[in-house]
Amino acid sequence: MSLSVRPLTGGIGAEIFGADVSDPNQFEPIMQAFSDHAVIAIRDQRIAPEQQIAFARRFGDINVNRFFAHVPDYPEVAMVLKEPDQTSAIGERWHTDHSYDQAPAMCSILHAIETPDVGGDTVFASMYASFEALSDGLKDTLRGLRAWHSSRHIFGAARDGSEARTTGRIGNAEAATQDSLHPVVIRHPLSGREALYVNPEFTVRFDGWTDAESRALINYLEAHCTKPEFTCRVRWAPGTITIWDNRATWHKAVNDYHGHRRLMHRITVEGVALNEARPVAA
């Protein structure tokens, strides 16, 4: 069976069938699909952590997560877990991974190990399409801004009483010291396209703006960017590997599977410092 790529929507996401992520000869078409669609769901992959690590290293260096519990003996592989008796899921709010780092993550690679029969999907939003749909005036305003991103309020001591913390799914609160300033509109390092680079979870304010002013604009952008025409939805099954570009997308977990277990293995790949979008010379 040959590798085939099937778009999920007209603007973001694709499924890949007939692939074998352990075959290095298939990496080039997988990477091309990742660049073209920003989110790819590779179906029917039954791999061990060693194989997931080897596959991830073809994208770049691996970021060892500071906060998530990891698979025993594999610190590179974070566990994204919700047990049947737990009520909160990790990642329920729209966000992009590691925007609080000075060089934000390139991509995340999530391997479904155990999934509910129904529910537990992940929804993604395109920061290409949503930015392109803004008015010219707002695009020009955003191009001139920079924004602060932080890990402190999500992974720090303020979350000590959260279910994720008390159940051991996340920890290491003392390591939540990251604050980074990034352009609000970036020139994507892979595609060369303009993309919006703020998110409702980790972006705390625009540089030089008050918290109230910043939250008003972030709330507006959240409502705009999550319109159905800018999104796709991945339905999981054991063996699905979904890879998303953290510089071009937001995502959120859908927590609609209470009483069922969901276990995923996640690897995050290091990225590069982001450059602001400047007009391309004619």
Side-chain angles (χ1 to χ4, degrees):
M1 183 177 179
S2 61
L3 183 151
S4 64
V5 180
R6 303 178 194 174
L8 285 168
T9 73
I12 179 176
E15 292 179 291
I16 298 180
F17 297 90
D20 178 359
V21 300
S22 65
D23 181 358
N25 295 320
Q26 291 195 0
F27 183 70
E28 185 175 345
I30 290 172
M31 187 65 180
Q32 187 62 56
F34 170 77
S35 178
D36 291 345
H37 300 282
V39 177
I40 52 173
I42 309 172
R43 301 299 187 182
D44 304 317
Q45 305 298 304
R46 302 302 180 117
I47 59 172
E50 296 94 337
Q51 293 168 298
Q52 187 179 359
I53 291 168
F55 176 60
R57 284 182 174 146
R58 296 189 189 113
F59 287 88
D61 294 335
I62 292 173
N63 176 290
V64 177
N65 194 279
R66 307 171 182 92
F67 308 117
F68 282 59
H70 61 77
V71 175
D73 301 321
Y74 298 99
E76 304 94 335
V77 185
M79 290 194 298
V80 181
L81 172 65
K82 183 188 173 196
E83 296 286 8
D85 62 339
Q86 295 169 351
T87 58
S88 64
I90 292 173
E92 290 186 60
R93 191 179 184 195
W94 286 105
H95 66 287
T96 191
D97 297 335
H98 290 250
S99 71
Y100 45 78
D101 285 336
Q102 296 291 329
M106 173 191 183
C107 65
S108 299
I109 302 171
L110 194 62
H111 180 209
I113 306 300
E114 186 175 346
T115 63
D117 291 337
V118 177
D121 298 353
T122 303
V123 188
F124 297 88
S126 170
M127 296 300 105
Y128 294 140
S130 56
F131 179 73
E132 290 168 0
L134 293 171
S135 68
D136 288 342
L138 184 50
K139 283 191 278 192
D140 286 343
T141 297
L142 294 171
R143 287 188 186 106
L145 297 177
R146 299 172 78 81
W148 286 98
H149 302 245
S150 181
S151 66
R152 298 173 189 270
H153 60 297
I154 301 300
F155 295 115
R159 298 293 295 274
D160 279 351
S162 68
E163 185 185 57
R165 181 67 53 76
T166 58
T167 56
R169 289 181 284 171
I170 63 170
N172 203 23
E174 64 278 4
T177 59
Q178 295 73 38
D179 299 296
S180 297
L181 184 65
H182 299 301
V184 169
V185 182
I186 65 168
R187 182 69 61 187
H188 192 281
L190 182 62
S191 71
R193 298 172 65 184
E194 286 186 303
L196 185 66
Y197 197 74
V198 296
N199 67 88
E201 181 90 318
F202 296 115
T203 305
V204 291
R205 62 181 174 85
F206 295 99
D207 194 38
W209 291 34
T210 67
D211 290 346
E213 291 166 341
S214 298
R215 184 48 53 188
L217 181 52
I218 291 169
N219 288 346
Y220 171 80
L221 292 172
E222 180 176 12
H224 169 77
C225 294
T226 57
K227 291 177 180 177
E229 57 265 38
F230 306 138
T231 68
C232 72
R233 186 170 180 133
V234 171
R235 183 172 184 181
W236 296 92
T240 294
I241 295 176
T242 296
I243 309 167
W244 59 90
D245 190 328
N246 283 300
R247 294 88 50 94
T249 65
W250 294 351
H251 61 282
K252 73 180 301 274
V254 180
N255 186 13
D256 61 349
Y257 54 100
H258 304 301
H260 300 275
R261 193 173 195 258
R262 181 180 183 269
L263 172 63
M264 323 292 266
H265 287 178
R266 193 186 85 176
I267 295 178
T268 303
V269 177
E270 297 278 18
V272 297
L274 300 175
N275 295 319
E276 66 179 299
R278 298 180 185 274
V280 178

